[in-house]
Amino acid sequence: MIASTRREPRIESYLARLRVALRGLPDREIDDIVRELRSHVDDLAGKEGAGVEAALQSLGDPLDLAQTYRSENQMLRAQCSGSPLTILQGLRHATRGTLQRVTVTALYVLGYFGMGTLWAGALEKLLAPSRGGLWYTPGDFWSTTLVVGGNPPAGARELLGWWLVPIALLVGWGVKYASDRIAQWWIARYRRAKASQEV
Amino acid sequence: MATSSGELSPESHFDKWEIQLRKGCLELAILGCLWPARLYGLEILRRLESDSDLVLSAGTVYPLLSRLKAEGLLKSEWVEADAGHPRKYYQLTPRGRSRAVEMAKMWARFSTNMKGLLSPVLKEGGK
């Protein structure tokens, strides 16, 4: 009975669809999931005599099931990762609706944009010391500009001097660190909320 | 089940509340299932059905077991079974055991307090 359920085409077709939909997870993990679900179907259809159809129905749609595994895996990886791409993937699963997804992603990208600008400012100061820097027109506080790839405004005075380099590098790194931590906090919060809604 | 004003009917509200209540204790129920011994997925499902009245689909329980394992609360191993195919058994890790104790204590405290609060309701409502 059990040997026959293993070769049952409906089971093979279900597991093949699941395997394809799980793509993106580590191969070892995919093998483990498929093996466990095959064992479940074998037990339910064979030992408990529920029938193949009922056994597969208890697992639900293979695409939905794979999505559940993938989103959980990607959120978990994002929580432990320092890679912005992994964190972005995690954020994609940790948002509800397009508006929230776009907003959260844009804020995260903005953090990296801020880091990039500060680091580019530091590099500009090193490569073109006479142009690069933080410039300020006396009497106009709002004119303070970090010059990257251009000329300072006429009559402007430079602030910070060479101190700009370590400060911009440090603040840029701080912005990146804060963006990552906030994104990971968001993902953890989403996962906790989701965990109480399982069933 | 929504009324014309868009509000949920009392029955729907009650059903929703009951579902939320069950969802909230699912993780504790799984940790409780695994407290005395290691079990494989289908055994966990059957145990939840018989001992806790939680009827769940396999499609819910397996990803949840995977999550609890990823969080370090469970560990698993493949065991060759008499059934002719291997089964993946889950058991609590030390971290899972301490989480189970914490959650069970909190549940017991909450349940005792609620029982005290609700005893007059049950007394008079049961008449």
Side-chain angles (χ1 to χ4, degrees), chain B residues 65-85:
Chain B
L65 289 169
S66 171
R67 174 171 73 74
L68 295 175
K69 189 183 160 192
E71 287 177 359
L73 302 176
L74 304 182
K75 61 181 177 182
S76 67
E77 62 175 334
W78 283 97
V79 176
E80 281 300 330
D82 297 338
H85 59 264

Side-chain angles (χ1 to χ4, degrees), chain B residues 70-115:
Chain B
E71 287 177 359
L73 302 176
L74 304 182
K75 61 181 177 182
S76 67
E77 62 175 334
W78 283 97
V79 176
E80 281 300 330
D82 297 338
H85 59 264
R87 286 172 177 148
K88 190 178 182 183
Y89 278 82
Y90 291 91
Q91 66 183 103
L92 294 173
T93 59
R95 195 169 155 207
R97 292 189 89 78
S98 53
R99 172 77 67 88
V101 172
E102 268 174 47
M103 289 177 85
K105 279 182 182 167
M106 196 174 286
W107 175 272
R109 204 167 43 238
F110 179 70
S111 163
T112 307
N113 292 340
M114 284 301 280
K115 206 172 166 185

Side-chain angles (χ1 to χ4, degrees), chain A residues 37-133:
Chain A
L37 298 180
R38 182 190 291 280
S39 166
H40 169 84
V41 173
D42 281 348
D43 272 333
L44 202 54
K47 185 184 150 200
E48 295 200 357
V52 169
E53 210 54 54
L56 293 178
Q57 264 178 17
S58 74
L59 293 173
D61 182 80
L63 302 184
D64 291 341
L65 184 57
Q67 177 63 18
T68 309
Y69 275 110
R70 286 187 56 196
S71 63
E72 184 55 34
N73 178 282
Q74 286 179 337
M75 285 192 287
L76 198 67
R77 277 172 50 204
Q79 266 185 266
C80 317
S81 172
S83 152
L85 283 180
T86 310
I87 294 175
L88 269 176
Q89 274 187 330
L91 278 177
R92 195 163 59 88
H93 292 286
T95 42
R96 286 195 182 94
T98 312
L99 183 66
Q100 195 183 64
R101 185 166 302 151
V102 170
T103 310
V104 169
T105 305
L107 286 172
Y108 182 67
V109 171
L110 194 66
Y112 268 77
F113 180 76
M115 176 202 77
T117 306
L118 286 162
W119 285 8
L123 191 67
E124 177 81 358
K125 182 70 190 164
L126 289 172
L127 298 177
S130 59
R131 285 185 320 191

Side-chain angles (χ1 to χ4, degrees), chain B residues 12 14 25 30 42 44 61 63 86 98 114 124 126:
Chain B
S12 293
F14 178 77
C25 65
I30 288 187
L42 189 56
I44 294 172
V61 168
S98 53
M114 284 301 280
E124 288 180 35

Side-chain angles (χ1 to χ4, degrees), chain A:
Chain A
M1 184 71 180
I2 286 167
S4 66
T5 58
R6 273 188 188 158
R7 287 189 294 272
E8 164 66 48
R10 281 171 294 178
I11 299 177
E12 297 311 317
S13 156
Y14 183 96
L15 293 177
R17 287 176 65 201
L18 180 77
R19 186 179 280 279
V20 170
L22 284 170
R23 236 178 243 167
L25 296 186
D27 287 347
R28 206 175 138 195
E29 201 165 324
I30 295 177
D31 289 343
D32 205 52
I33 292 168
V34 171
R35 195 177 173 205
E36 180 174 37
L37 298 180
R38 182 190 291 280
S39 166
H40 169 84
V41 173
D42 281 348
D43 272 333
L44 202 54
K47 185 184 150 200
E48 295 200 357
V52 169
E53 210 54 54
L56 293 178
Q57 264 178 17
S58 74
L59 293 173
D61 182 80
L63 302 184
D64 291 341
L65 184 57
Q67 177 63 18
T68 309
Y69 275 110
R70 286 187 56 196
S71 63
E72 184 55 34
N73 178 282
Q74 286 179 337
M75 285 192 287
L76 198 67
R77 277 172 50 204
Q79 266 185 266
C80 317
S81 172
S83 152
L85 283 180
T86 310
I87 294 175
L88 269 176
Q89 274 187 330
L91 278 177
R92 195 163 59 88
H93 292 286
T95 42
R96 286 195 182 94
T98 312
L99 183 66
Q100 195 183 64
R101 185 166 302 151
V102 170
T103 310
V104 169
T105 305
L107 286 172
Y108 182 67
V109 171
L110 194 66
Y112 268 77
F113 180 76
M115 176 202 77
T117 306
L118 286 162
W119 285 8
L123 191 67
E124 177 81 358
K125 182 70 190 164
L126 289 172
L127 298 177
S130 59
R131 285 185 320 191
L134 191 64
W135 295 88
Y136 157 79
T137 307
D140 182 6
F141 172 79
W142 297 108
S143 68
T144 308
T145 317
L146 180 68
V147 174
V148 180
N151 290 310
R157 274 172 47 195
E158 196 192 356
L159 296 170
L160 297 176
W162 286 104
W163 279 105
L164 175 79
V165 178
I167 289 173
L169 290 176
L170 203 67
V171 174
W173 182 85
V175 170
K176 171 203 156 18
Y177 182 82
S179 304
D180 286 347
R181 291 292 89 82
I182 291 169
Q184 287 168 332
W185 166 81
W186 176 277
I187 293 167
R189 181 176 156 272
Y190 181 88
R191 283 185 67 232
R192 272 201 303 277
K194 199 165 159 265
S196 65
Q197 290 168 7
E198 275 164 328
V199 175

